[in-house]
Amino acid sequence: MSGRHEKEKGVNVQVLLRCRPFSDEELRSNAPQVVTCNDYSREVTVSQNIAGKHFDRVFTFDKVFGPSAKQKDLYDQAVVPIVNEVLEGFNCTIFAYGQTGTGKTYTMEGECKRSKSGPNGELPPEAGVIPRTVQQIFDTLEGQNAEYSVKVTFLELYNEEITDLLAPEEITKVALEEKQKKQLPLMEDGKGGVLVRGLEEEIVTSASEIFSLLERGSAKRRTAETLLNKQSSRSHSLFSITIHIKEATPEGEELIKCGKLNLVDLAGSENISRSGAREGRAREAGEINKSLLTLGRVINALVEHLGHIPYRDSKLTRLLRDSLGGRTKTCIIATVSPAVHCLEETLSTLDYAHRAKNIKNKPEVNQK
Ligand code: ADP
């Protein structure tokens, strides 16, 4: 089987900003608003008072979603084109970056439960990027006259250690501790990416199968959190969907398109600034810093066109290596709160996300 698929593209990494609405608690405490979004100008204004003087800092992004933006708005405007790229045989990554409590999980997962879908199987309005992506992929594949296969993996990275959220065995404390001792190792796959040896890869044939896997994986994540006293804000989750589509070209050649989408819910960005961690949490904080800081360095190195990109310095960047820079498409969704008590973290999230805006990707040439 052989095939050739070429596409010339030279686009920036897409960086979006989403500001959530005030929470009930923020409303009750009359928290002043410091973040104002202008969806049309793609600008976010952060108001600060320093030494009695008022300052406005304005950041521009590829797209800005204010507090009233719905899950569907964000999906239709930002994610549909990315999923179309994956269906064309390209690798893409979407990740959510921001302080804990600003809407990373709401944006990525939202309300996933199939049981709450409408009478015709449509997703609930609260469904986030992952369920909408799954739905779009299967709606497209089922509407095409081509052979295809869809595989998913779901893992958690905590302390630079990988947990397979789709592993079939029951989760117990003993099993988890045993597992931590023999971590799933990363291996180069010879194609510029890495493989996690022993990671469960599930072949799925319908959207509803993926939804139940997602639920299983999320339940496993919660159980592991409770048993090992972990904090979900300190872990990264990575849900990957790989699609193979077999097509015939007009010349009668057989073309295999292979696209992969990584959906990453990153650890809370406040972990970066809390490096002076207290005992017991020191190693953990160090390792979380390592992944988020290395991701930042990788992004900077790509922006600056440096010869050496430090992918190898953390597991997260090794895992995302085939999806950051190069010929891939990356979408960063930075999430912030509108309220004053988050100001410092909001500014650091905006700075981090803004630096990523200049990454230029190489022209696409996808050869199989
Ligand atoms: P994170 O994953 O960043 O820690 P969450 O996704 O758990 O944050 O969001 C924190 C809370 O804010 C949740 O109760 C969530 O439902 C709510 N929330 C976040 N973003 C939005 C939004 N855009 N619209 C409505 N509610 C939101």
Side-chain angles (χ1 to χ4, degrees):
M1 274 180 285
S2 71
R4 192 173 152 83
H5 185 73
E6 284 194 12
K7 199 167 186 177
E8 293 292 322
K9 285 245 168 94
V11 291
N12 288 351
V13 164
Q14 205 187 165
V15 184
L16 321 180
L17 190 279
R18 183 176 210 186
C19 179
R20 68 156 165 76
F22 276 104
S23 65
D24 290 346
E25 206 184 315
E26 287 162 348
L27 286 173
R28 264 196 304 275
S29 65
N30 261 332
Q33 178 177 346
V34 290
V35 177
T36 316
C37 295
N38 186 333
D39 305 5
Y40 297 102
S41 65
R42 302 182 286 121
E43 281 176 1
V44 177
T45 308
V46 183
S47 309
Q48 283 176 281
N49 275 312
I50 304 172
K53 287 200 179 137
H54 183 93
F55 291 91
D56 277 345
R57 274 185 74 184
V58 179
F59 296 80
T60 308
F61 292 95
D62 293 310
K63 283 194 176 73
V64 166
F65 296 90
S68 58
K70 302 280 170 260
Q71 299 280 56
K72 187 174 185 311
D73 300 336
L74 184 137
Y75 189 78
D76 288 349
Q77 291 179 45
V79 186
V80 167
I82 294 176
V83 175
N84 286 336
E85 289 283 325
V86 175
L87 288 160
E88 280 296 311
F90 294 92
N91 282 3
C92 298
T93 292
I94 300 175
F95 62 88
Y97 176 87
Q99 181 185 6
T100 299
T102 53
K104 294 183 299 298
T105 307
Y106 178 84
T107 298
M108 295 307 273
E109 294 179 16
E111 175 52 82
C112 288
K113 292 203 175 58
R114 209 59 192 132
S115 52
K116 296 213 174 142
S117 61
N120 302 320
E122 78 269 23
L123 290 167
E126 296 299 303
V129 167
I130 296 181
R132 286 176 195 274
T133 295
V134 168
Q135 191 86 61
Q136 185 188 341
I137 287 173
F138 276 99
D139 282 354
T140 310
L141 292 174
E142 282 161 9
Q144 282 175 353
N145 191 18
E147 267 182 60
Y148 62 82
S149 75
V150 180
K151 285 186 235 164
V152 297
T153 59
F154 193 16
L155 62 85
E156 181 188 48
L157 190 59
Y158 189 88
N159 250 349
E160 290 294 286
E161 286 167 359
I162 294 167
T163 303
D164 184 353
L165 296 174
L166 297 185
E169 69 265 25
E170 268 301 294
I171 282 215
T172 62
K173 190 162 181 168
V174 176
L176 280 169
E177 284 168 351
E178 259 323 287
K179 218 169 183 173
Q180 281 190 327
K181 280 186 219 146
K182 33 182 171 89
Q183 268 304 298
L184 298 177
L186 292 185
M187 287 166 37
E188 307 299 324
D189 69 358
K191 292 183 249 163
V194 292
L195 292 172
V196 187
R197 207 167 62 201
L199 187 69
E200 207 65 37
E201 213 178 30
E202 295 271 355
I203 296 175
V204 277
T205 54
S206 68
S208 58
E209 262 181 72
I210 299 195
F211 291 124
S212 48
L213 285 179
L214 256 175
E215 275 185 49
R216 196 175 95 198
S218 300
K220 208 161 200 173
R221 204 176 167 195
R222 283 193 296 275
T223 314
E225 245 168 64
T226 317
L227 289 175
L228 296 178
N229 201 16
K230 300 201 285 191
Q231 291 178 17
S232 60
S233 63
R234 307 175 87 85
S235 72
H236 314 281
S237 78
L238 170 54
F239 185 77
S240 302
I241 309 178
T242 307
I243 307 165
H244 287 88
I245 305 174
K246 204 196 280 186
E247 280 180 354
T249 63
E251 298 80 41
E253 228 185 317
E254 209 168 54
L255 174 74
I256 304 282
K257 286 197 284 194
C258 175
K260 180 178 170 191
L261 180 62
N262 296 311
L263 298 159
V264 192
D265 190 348
L266 289 169
S269 56
E270 70 279 4
N271 288 299
I272 277 192
S273 42
R274 293 196 191 144
S275 46
R278 276 173 251 138
E279 301 154 54
R281 293 244 180 256
R283 169 161 178 267
E284 208 178 272
E287 298 289 17
I288 293 155
N289 276 334
K290 191 164 154 187
S291 281
L292 285 177
L293 286 172
T294 306
L295 182 62
R297 281 192 208 110
V298 163
I299 289 170
N300 277 343
L302 291 164
V303 172
E304 305 287 331
H305 300 287
L306 301 182
H308 173 68
I309 315 288
Y311 292 111
R312 292 192 62 82
D313 291 357
S314 79
K315 280 211 177 133
L316 178 68
T317 46
R318 284 184 74 191
L319 284 166
L320 293 178
R321 186 189 176 127
D322 61 357
S323 312
L324 259 184
R327 295 171 193 152
T328 67
K329 304 274 172 290
T330 303
C331 172
I332 300 165
I333 306 174
T335 57
V336 295
S337 146
V340 71
H341 63 275
C342 297
L343 180 63
E344 208 181 312
E345 293 297 343
T346 297
L347 284 170
S348 102
T349 297
L350 292 172
D351 277 331
Y352 187 105
H354 204 252
R355 276 200 304 273
K357 251 197 71 66
N358 298 325
I359 303 176
K360 278 262 190 293
N361 280 344
K362 284 184 209 154
E364 293 279 8
V365 180
N366 184 5
Q367 196 172 340
K368 305 274 176 241

